[in-house]
Amino acid sequence: MRKVLASFLMVCLGTALAAGLPREQQAVAQSQSESVSEPVIAAAGDIACAPPATRTSSKCHQQDTANLLAAGGYDAVLPVGDTQYNCGELSAFSQVYDKTWGPFNAISHPAVGDNEYVGSTCSTPGASGYYTYFGAAASPLDQPCTQACKGYYSYDLGSWHVVVLNSECSQVGGCKSSSPQGLWLKADLAAHPAACTLAYWHRPYFTDGGGTSSSTNPLVKILYAVHADVLLVGHQHIYERFAPMDPSQVADPAGIREFIVGTGGKSHSSLASTPPPNAEARNNTAYGVLRLTLHAAGYDWQFIPEAGKTFTDSGSATCHGGGGDTTPPTAPTGLTATAPSGAQVNLSWTASTDNVGVTGYRIYRDGAFLANTGTTTSFTDATAAAGATYSYQVSAVDAAANESARSNSASVTTPSPGTLTFDPTDDAYVEQAAPTTNFGAATRLVADNSPVDQFLVRFDVALTGCSTITAASLRLTVGSGSSDTSPSGGNFFTTGTDWNEATVTWDTAPAAGTAVGSLGAVAINTTYSLDVTQAVTGPGPVAFRVSSTSSDGVRYFSKQGSTTQAPKLVITCS
């Protein structure tokens, strides 16, 4: 009986709206529909073609989907953006949308899309056509408003709390948690705790291409933190249902299930060749609406196709805050945080317990949700920045999405990037023609091919305050004894470290190992730098052997020849 009355009410309201029913009276009827204990709603976006909106077999099926609304006995209609193409002009709304979906405006709660702001062929400042057409229903928080309005708001349907957000982030000061919309969302959810929460906006967060939308990521994290159940979106002109996921697109029974319902009638778009992670159903051949029945502790879904199409999709789920198990796990204890590098923080903690079983843990950084992890009691934050201080907490969740209190706080400061400079512990040249002679006290390091002279240089690397080597370079300064310009600065190789400058000779010097680079022509009194990162992999001794194929050799300052122009090993680290 309720469905019959609701259907009759919608038809009457549609007639009254066409005759100019005041918005105040529409709001009364709207509030009446919201008081239904188990409301049934219809959702779709990407709806009405631009005038003249001529129907073909493949596009402009807005009347077909409107027919589904008339036949469904719905308590609320949720247009999820791009309601009127191509730019949401008021005249276009009047000619197409109003004649198809318009009769259901009294029970409609619209979300704004990108085409309402700027379409493919025209521009409507501040989505003025959309906000003028829908009036207070489109942006009740800032009335009167017909341009540059908020476009986000919330309401209750039965026992459900419903949040409508504006995914055109640049139009409303951004979508970050610190933006006006983000701050409003956190306050609204705190003020309206509910067993079941539904959110919708226009642009998909989980996309058919397999990724996520970075712009709305903060909003999803806020919703996930309060155990929101359903996210409805459009923009992609397809139907797609995902399994519940966390904001990182990892399957999570306590996560948010997204439905892409860009099937309002305008046109279809192609599907990605490979289904994205956790996609459970998808279609791009049928226009239609998603029918949701909102129970006190769960929901049923069914995709209703237009007449003549057979694709459908249906199922049921329990809300994270509804049904059976209501006992949260115990809080994790003993959380510790260490930073082995500037780009990594390692967390570990003692496991929680639960009356049924812990299914995972949630990581919070500086009070904001960071990631969902499995049942292991450790986590690596690979998104940390060098030289930053963070505070972490962890909570446990169970299969019913009950979340524990958060653990103790663990703070850590990641190492700052820096530069370490090392002087050589030993350097010397050796001469083939004098195989047993030591030249370790010489003021120069010689690389020449006539006579054949080569030199060695050794460093002891200590990484105090440095966790990860990001670059290493060997610096040498050309000294006296060289020509003004030598054609070759030498060929550089790794070599053994078991030698010292006081005893090494040609016969006892370690052989050349792996080539690390070479220097071309060099000039006297000039310092040169050679990248040797591949040879410096950690703390400990490292040595190089340098030769030349040029008969016009090069002579660099040794550590005996100059304290300021001696060889240097410079390491950049984090």
Side-chain angles (χ1 to χ4, degrees):
M1 183 65 178
R2 174 174 66 83
K3 295 291 183 268
V4 173
L5 290 173
S7 180
F8 174 77
L9 174 64
M10 287 188 294
V11 173
C12 293
L13 287 173
T15 304
L17 179 65
L21 179 68
R23 287 288 176 182
E24 292 79 3
Q25 295 180 35
Q26 297 174 36
V28 171
Q30 184 169 306
S31 66
Q32 291 172 346
S33 73
E34 293 168 2
S35 67
V36 177
S37 60
E38 290 198 334
V40 180
I41 64 175
D46 307 282
I47 300 169
C49 287
T54 303
R55 185 188 188 280
T56 71
S57 60
S58 61
K59 64 181 181 179
C60 303
H61 287 215
Q62 59 275 345
Q63 184 62 62
D64 299 79
T65 54
N67 293 341
L68 300 176
L69 301 181
Y74 294 102
D75 300 300
V77 173
L78 282 54
V80 294
D82 281 7
T83 47
Q84 177 63 64
Y85 285 81
N86 283 323
C87 64
E89 290 177 320
L90 186 58
S91 60
F93 270 106
S94 300
Q95 294 178 69
V96 186
Y97 185 91
D98 193 62
K99 294 179 180 178
T100 53
W101 281 51
F104 311 96
N105 283 354
I107 56 169
S108 291
H109 305 264
V112 69
D114 59 300
N115 274 278
E116 277 85 359
Y117 283 101
V118 178
S120 59
T121 60
C122 53
S123 172
T124 303
S128 58
Y130 167 85
Y131 288 115
T132 300
Y133 176 74
F134 284 109
S139 193
L141 298 180
D142 53 0
Q143 291 300 304
C145 181
T146 58
Q147 184 172 323
C149 309
K150 287 185 172 70
Y152 53 84
Y153 58 96
S154 70
Y155 57 96
D156 291 325
L157 277 174
S159 61
W160 283 62
H161 187 58
V162 183
V163 178
V164 187
L165 297 175
N166 190 335
S167 60
E168 298 308 300
C169 301
S170 63
Q171 303 289 341
V172 287
C175 289
K176 294 182 178 180
S177 60
S178 59
S179 69
Q181 182 171 213
L183 294 172
W184 172 85
L185 176 60
K186 287 186 284 188
D188 178 81
L189 293 171
H192 299 88
C196 303
T197 302
L198 181 151
Y200 60 98
W201 58 73
H202 181 60
R203 293 181 183 266
Y205 178 68
F206 304 114
T207 68
D208 184 62
T212 61
S213 168
S214 59
S215 60
T216 53
N217 173 266
L219 304 179
V220 173
K221 286 185 174 181
I222 293 170
L223 291 164
Y224 178 78
V226 300
H227 316 301
D229 301 280
V230 176
L231 173 61
L232 306 178
V233 296
H235 194 61
Q236 293 178 325
H237 296 194
I238 62 172
Y239 172 80
E240 188 158 30
R241 171 174 56 86
F242 292 88
M245 292 185 281
D246 73 7
S248 300
Q249 208 169 14
V250 175
D252 177 9
I256 300 172
R257 168 174 274 125
E258 181 187 86
F259 293 87
I260 300 177
V261 199
T263 54
K266 197 273 182 181
S267 60
H268 280 125
S269 55
S270 60
L271 295 172
S273 57
T274 301
N278 305 308
E280 295 183 324
R282 58 186 191 146
N283 175 269
N284 69 338
T285 61
Y287 296 106
V289 298
L290 178 65
R291 178 188 180 96
L292 292 174
T293 303
L294 306 181
H295 305 298
Y299 60 98
D300 306 326
W301 74 82
Q302 183 181 9
F303 180 79
I304 308 295
E306 62 185 323
K309 297 292 184 179
T310 58
F311 170 79
T312 189
D313 176 49
S314 62
S316 299
T318 300
C319 292
H320 300 327
D325 179 17
T326 59
T327 303
T330 62
T333 58
L335 176 65
T336 61
T338 58
S341 75
Q344 179 178 321
V345 174
N346 294 333
L347 305 177
S348 63
W349 59 90
T350 301
S352 299
T353 59
D354 184 66
N355 62 320
V356 178
V358 173
T359 58
Y361 294 92
R362 291 181 174 181
I363 313 299
Y364 294 88
R365 187 174 72 187
D366 295 336
F369 171 78
L370 176 66
N372 178 74
T373 186
T375 56
T376 59
T377 56
S378 62
F379 175 78
T380 296
D381 178 8
T383 65
T389 299
Y390 298 107
S391 178
Y392 293 87
Q393 288 181 294
V394 178
S395 67
V397 293
D398 61 20
N402 298 308
E403 183 174 10
S404 74
R406 297 183 188 179
S407 69
N408 60 291
S409 296
S411 296
V412 66
T413 300
T414 56
S416 298
T419 301
L420 302 176
T421 302
F422 298 94
D423 295 318
T425 58
D426 298 87
D427 61 7
Y429 78 89
V430 294
E431 187 169 290
Q432 187 180 46
T436 61
T437 302
N438 172 258
F439 299 98
T443 60
R444 63 184 187 263
L445 300 173
V446 184
D448 202 334
N449 198 41
S450 182
V452 177
D453 292 322
Q454 299 178 4
F455 70 86
L456 302 98
V457 59
R458 181 184 182 276
F459 303 87
D460 278 343
V461 176
L463 297 181
T464 304
C466 173
S467 56
T468 303
I469 296 172
T470 57
S473 60
L474 177 62
R475 295 183 183 177
L476 299 166
T477 302
V478 180
S480 59
S482 300
S483 302
D484 287 343
T485 301
S486 298
S488 172
N491 302 313
F492 293 73
F493 302 83
T494 60
T495 192
T497 58
D498 189 16
W499 58 274
N500 67 75
E501 64 183 20
T503 60
V504 69
T505 67
W506 181 273
D507 284 349
T508 63
T514 303
V516 294
S518 61
L519 291 174
V522 294
I524 194 169
N525 293 324
T526 304
T527 300
Y528 294 89
S529 181
L530 179 73
D531 184 356
V532 294
T533 305
Q534 62 175 305
V536 185
T537 58
V542 60
F544 302 94
R545 181 163 179 161
V546 185
S547 62
S548 178
T549 58
S550 172
S551 59
D552 187 1
V554 62
R555 288 157 176 78
Y556 295 104
F557 284 106
S558 70
K559 70 185 184 74
Q560 289 79 14
S562 172
T563 56
T564 59
Q565 296 174 301
K568 305 286 184 184
L569 180 65
V570 180
I571 294 177
T572 302
C573 62
S574 61

